[in-house]
């Protein structure tokens, strides 16, 4: 594995020499992770009854102003580990009974992760989930073809104005829409086992944001009208909580109302987006954010 000296791993293509410094994502020359443990708060077909073997990577290419995991994404909390140690962590999670290995925001460490998966592969017999904010290049999706079984991807916005204000990424939808199409083409329609646990496929997440109902409708229209029917599961999320720098943005300084979320659910149903997951409004609680305490690292 060669550490990038002009990094183009994410769509920002910041050009950082990762052997000497950090990229925009805050990633350096070694993998950094904040937690590796069984996680029970993903979609039911991911967490199942035994939990998802979730590895939270430090740093993030998006740096959203409302990130609930800001202590690791923006503040870069975590511990550096070797590639061989990362492979051991994957196998340990499998041994603990995990339904899958769940890589949370791993894109800025893709070469390291692929090498760790290569080391683990002879003994790794559960699906690999790639849990992403959606801001991925189509080239990255292609490079992960032999490594990823399940794509768990956000579609956060359509509006360039919103994505620029909240994530400093005006090109978010243009990039993410191409990546999502590539993910669906790569995996095909969702495949679940006899227990309802996803083995292969795509889940598209959208978190309803306060005051952004019009953009939520545009996201849902994209899913319903521009992606092949039956090619993905939808997860419409109500868990928005004003973390990190959200209070600096007028619309983001509150949680969403029950009315706002209900309108989004009703619109999704009207569009025929009925195969997937809708959260209870009570999901918007701080305790659903795990403690980043280096567990399992």
């Amino acid at each position: 594995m060669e550490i990038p000296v002009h990094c183009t791993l994410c769509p920002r293509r910041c050009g950082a020499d990762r052997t000497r410094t950090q990229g925009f994502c805050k990633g350096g020359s070694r993998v950094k992770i904040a937690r590796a443990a069984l996680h029970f708060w993903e979609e039911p077909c991911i967490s199942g009854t035994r939990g998802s073997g979730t590895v939270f990577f430090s740093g993030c290419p998006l740096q959203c102003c409302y990130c609930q995991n800001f202590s690791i994404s923006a503040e870069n909390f975590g511990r550096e580990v070797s590639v061989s140690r990362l492979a051991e962590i994957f196998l340990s999670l499998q041994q603990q009974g995990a339904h899958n290995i769940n890589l949370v925001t791993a894109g800025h460490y893709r070469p390291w992760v692929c090498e760790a998966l290569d080391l683990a592969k002879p003994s790794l017999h559960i699906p690999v989930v790639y849990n992403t904010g959606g801001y991925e290049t189509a080239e990255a999706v292609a490079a992960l073809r032999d490594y990823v079984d399940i794509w768990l991807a956000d579609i956060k916005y359509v509006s360039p104005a919103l994505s620029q204000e909240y994530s400093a990424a005006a090109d978010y939808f243009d990039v993410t829409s191409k990546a999502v199409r590539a993910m669906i083409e790569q995996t095909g329609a969702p495949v679940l086992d006899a227990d309802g646990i996803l083995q292969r496929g795509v889940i598209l997440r959208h978190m309803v944001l306060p005051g952004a109902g019009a953009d939520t409708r545009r996201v849902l229209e994209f899913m319903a009208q521009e992606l092949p029917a039956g090619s993905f599961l939808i997860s419409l999320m109500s868990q928005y909580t004003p973390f990190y720098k959200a209070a600096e943005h007028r619309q983001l300084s509150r949680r969403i109302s029950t009315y706002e979320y209900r309108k989004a659910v009703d619109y999704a149903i009207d569009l025929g987006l009925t195969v997937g997951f809708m959260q209870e409004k009570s999901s918007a609680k701080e305790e659903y954010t795990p403690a980043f305490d280096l567990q399992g690292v």
Side-chain angles (χ1 to χ4, degrees):
M1 180 198 70
E2 292 187 11
I3 299 172
V5 295
H6 184 82
C7 193
T8 59
L9 288 174
C10 88
R12 295 194 187 272
R13 304 183 190 278
C14 72
D17 180 350
R18 296 276 294 271
T19 67
R20 302 168 60 116
T21 188
Q22 295 178 348
F24 178 94
C25 62
K26 303 186 184 298
S29 61
R30 285 167 61 87
V31 174
K32 195 173 189 180
I33 62 177
R35 179 181 170 88
L38 297 179
H39 190 56
F40 295 89
W41 301 327
E42 304 285 29
E43 287 75 4
C45 68
I46 298 292
S47 289
T49 57
R50 302 196 304 270
S52 178
T54 306
V55 181
F56 288 89
F57 290 81
S58 305
C60 178
L62 273 176
Q63 302 292 320
C64 301
C65 66
Y66 53 85
C67 181
Q68 67 181 23
N69 296 343
F70 69 92
S71 64
I72 65 170
S73 63
E75 296 175 354
N76 208 28
F77 172 80
R79 176 179 293 159
E80 291 184 345
V81 297
S82 66
V83 167
S84 60
R85 174 59 186 149
L86 186 59
E88 290 172 356
I89 287 170
F90 296 157
L91 295 177
S92 173
L93 291 167
Q94 177 177 257
Q95 188 173 22
Q96 292 171 48
H99 289 290
N100 43 62
I101 300 300
N102 187 345
L103 309 173
V104 181
T105 317
H108 52 300
Y109 286 117
R110 173 165 45 87
W112 294 259
V113 169
C114 288
E115 186 169 317
L117 287 170
D118 282 334
L119 291 174
K121 264 184 181 180
S123 301
L124 191 65
H125 308 301
I126 54 178
V128 173
V129 179
Y130 193 87
N131 191 331
T132 169
Y135 197 54
E136 305 281 350
T137 65
E139 296 90 340
V141 176
L144 289 163
R145 175 178 294 275
D146 295 329
Y147 296 94
V148 172
D149 303 290
I150 297 164
W151 293 92
L152 183 54
D154 292 342
I155 304 182
K156 295 179 183 290
Y157 329 93
V158 170
S159 163
L162 280 184
S163 59
Q164 177 61 30
E165 180 180 355
Y166 296 162
S167 302
D171 62 345
Y172 176 86
F173 181 71
D174 182 56
V175 169
T176 300
S177 59
K178 292 181 176 70
V180 162
R181 287 187 171 99
M183 293 170 192
I184 290 171
E185 182 179 350
Q186 189 177 103
T187 67
V191 176
L192 293 91
D193 68 11
D195 297 318
I197 305 300
L198 191 63
Q199 302 298 300
R200 188 169 179 83
V202 175
I203 299 177
L204 297 180
R205 285 173 161 173
H206 175 69
M207 184 165 67
V208 180
L209 296 175
D215 199 59
T216 285
R217 290 190 292 275
R218 292 175 70 190
V219 170
L220 296 173
E221 288 163 2
F222 166 74
M223 291 183 187
Q225 297 168 4
E226 299 191 39
L227 300 177
S231 65
F232 62 93
L233 303 175
I234 181 177
S235 181
L236 192 58
M237 305 170 76
S238 65
Q239 70 191 52
Y240 174 77
T241 305
F243 283 108
Y244 191 36
K245 298 181 179 179
E248 298 175 8
H249 302 263
R250 184 177 60 84
Q251 295 275 33
L252 294 180
S253 60
R254 62 174 177 86
R255 292 177 175 176
I256 65 167
S257 67
T258 299
Y259 176 72
E260 284 174 303
Y261 184 65
R262 189 69 247 172
K263 280 191 70 174
V265 171
D266 289 346
Y267 196 63
I269 292 171
D270 289 345
L271 289 170
L273 295 170
T274 56
V275 181
F277 309 97
M278 311 296 175
Q279 287 185 327
E280 295 295 328
K281 182 63 173 60
S282 60
S283 296
K285 294 181 179 178
E286 294 188 16
E287 58 262 35
Y288 284 87
T289 301
F292 297 115
D293 52 8
L294 303 179
Q295 180 178 348
V297 177

